[in-house]
Amino acid sequence: LLQLIRNRLARFKLDMHINHATHRAFSRLTLLKGLVKPAVHVAYLKTIINSWATARRMRVLNGLRTDNLPKCILCDSGNDSLEHISCCPVSLLVFNKLGLQLTQKKHFVALHDACTVKKVMAKHAKAIAIIYTVYNAIKHHPTELPPLCTRDLINTAFQCMG
């Protein structure tokens, strides 16, 4: 698992040594066990191992090139990749709503010093889970139905995750 985390975190180009980032991510994952709902825990794991079903990640399956990716489905700017989502305006909105900082990619993956505190780490994981839930609701919404409102989905996710 450590090697997988190391390989996937490298894509974020964090401003810290990859070994340090890997061990922090693993310790955060361990910290979350029993602290948050399993769905929130899994959303954090899926984030640090870059396993969201983004267009960038699924590009080979969909016959896309990295220079021809669709726009982010959350904000309709940037490309549909976890690297963009880590600094997406919608992610910033969710983090701000929880009183969290999102000025660097290490904030999105909860690798900064403040996340050693259980309460802060739980909030970060909740932010990621909300973004992950909203992303997937939009991603898997049938195209023949009217489009979903991102802001409404965020508000609903906040209510559901308490």
Side-chain angles (χ1 to χ4, degrees):
L1 182 60
L2 282 175
Q3 188 60 43
L4 178 63
I5 293 170
R6 178 179 290 109
N7 293 344
R8 300 298 174 85
L9 281 178
R11 294 189 54 91
F12 283 100
K13 295 178 177 65
L14 301 164
D15 63 347
M16 63 174 56
H17 192 276
I18 192 61
N19 288 338
H20 187 61
T22 302
H23 289 286
R24 275 193 177 192
F26 189 77
S27 70
R28 303 302 197 263
L29 198 56
T30 305
L31 179 68
L32 286 173
K33 190 176 181 180
L35 183 64
V36 294
K37 295 177 184 177
V40 173
H41 196 207
V42 168
Y44 181 70
L45 172 63
K46 287 178 147 299
T47 301
I48 62 173
I49 63 169
N50 190 23
S51 72
W52 291 30
T54 61
R56 180 181 173 101
R57 192 165 159 267
M58 299 293 149
R59 70 185 178 280
V60 174
L61 250 135
N62 297 321
L64 300 171
R65 296 186 328 257
T66 54
D67 61 345
N68 192 29
L69 292 173
K71 298 270 187 213
C72 172
I73 62 174
L74 294 173
C75 69
D76 202 34
S77 67
N79 63 35
D80 188 22
S81 68
L82 197 51
E83 292 86 353
H84 166 75
I85 292 168
S86 71
C87 58
C88 174
V90 173
S91 297
L92 183 60
L93 174 76
V94 172
F95 271 70
N96 285 341
K97 206 167 179 174
L98 284 167
L100 299 170
Q101 185 178 17
L102 183 60
T103 57
Q104 299 174 31
K105 290 182 180 181
K106 70 179 178 182
H107 294 146
F108 184 75
V109 289
L111 299 182
H112 56 296
D113 294 335
C115 286
T116 57
V117 177
K118 286 183 178 185
K119 186 176 179 179
V120 175
M121 184 58 210
K123 274 182 154 181
H124 270 76
K126 181 179 175 179
I128 289 169
I130 288 169
I131 298 162
Y132 179 75
T133 300
V134 170
Y135 178 87
N136 281 301
I138 295 169
K139 183 90 171 178
H140 300 293
H141 184 69
T143 54
E144 65 273 7
L145 295 177
L148 298 170
C149 173
T150 304
R151 196 169 291 275
D152 290 344
L153 288 172
I154 292 169
N155 291 334
T156 302
F158 266 97
Q159 291 171 1
C160 292
M161 294 199 188

